[in-house]
Each structure stands twice: as structure tokens, then as C-alpha cells.
Amino acid sequence: MTQHVTEKDVRDIATYTRIALSDEELPQMTKDLNDIIESLKPITEYDLEGVEPTFHPIGSLSNVMREDVETTSFTQEEALSNAPKQQDGCFLIPAILGGGDQ
């Protein structure tokens, strides 16, 4: 089997992606990555002469989102009308970082 990536390559990739690999994991990861690359080898056997590259599998995709149009919305009173707790015109929620008594 061809070795596509070396242990140094895998170590560099792990460092770049901030994945901690121990010295014991490095040989297995190198083998796994080489196996994955080797499994993709049949793709290189297709005749792609004259095939234009595409950047999206659907082809010429256009923006399907509607225009961002400003419309009337809830008033502050309507938005707060079902709030279990409110204070000074705002939603009052329990503190999640500590230091609060709510």
C-alpha cells in the first residue's frame, strides 16, 4: 500500500487542528488516514476530460431567500404580555452565570 501521509504529516495536521495525539495514537492515525486516502483511489480512474468543475452539486443555485422587507412588528407591551417575569420593560430571566438572585 502506498503511504500518502507520513507520521510527521499527521502530527502537523493534528497540531494545526488542535487535536491532541499521543505518541501511541500517531501510528494508528497515520495508518487510518492512509487507508481512507487509498479507499478513494477508484475516483481517480474516471475519465473527466472536458468536465467542467462545479462548486455546488445542484448547479446554478440562486438566492432563494425573500427580500428583507421591514414590516410592522410587536409592540414592547405585546412582546412582554405573556412573560412570566419582567422588569423595567425587559424580560426577566434566571441568572445562569451566578451572582444573580433571580
Side-chain angles (χ1 to χ4, degrees):
M1 180 175 74
T2 306
Q3 184 167 359
H4 301 280
V5 291
T6 65
E7 285 189 6
K8 181 188 180 317
D9 295 330
V10 174
R11 171 85 58 208
D12 291 345
I13 292 167
T15 300
Y16 179 76
T17 58
R18 299 181 183 185
I19 297 173
L21 281 180
S22 69
D23 291 337
E24 295 78 29
E25 294 172 311
L26 189 60
Q28 184 62 48
M29 182 60 74
T30 303
K31 180 189 176 311
D32 290 346
L33 286 175
N34 278 302
D35 289 347
I36 291 168
I37 293 169
E38 191 66 26
S39 74
L40 297 173
K41 189 176 181 181
I43 293 173
T44 65
E45 297 172 5
Y46 290 107
D47 178 20
L48 300 176
E49 188 67 34
V51 176
E52 292 292 322
T54 59
F55 297 98
H56 196 282
I58 298 177
S60 60
L61 189 66
S62 62
N63 186 358
V64 295
M65 305 299 273
R66 66 170 172 77
E67 290 295 319
D68 191 12
V69 179
E70 186 176 328
T71 61
T72 57
S73 186
F74 296 115
T75 64
Q76 184 175 11
E77 293 77 25
E78 289 172 324
L80 291 171
S81 66
N82 288 323
K85 293 184 180 180
Q86 48 183 295
Q87 179 179 335
D88 301 325
C90 299
F91 293 100
L92 186 61
I93 59 171
I96 58 171
L97 298 177
D101 58 352
Q102 299 296 329

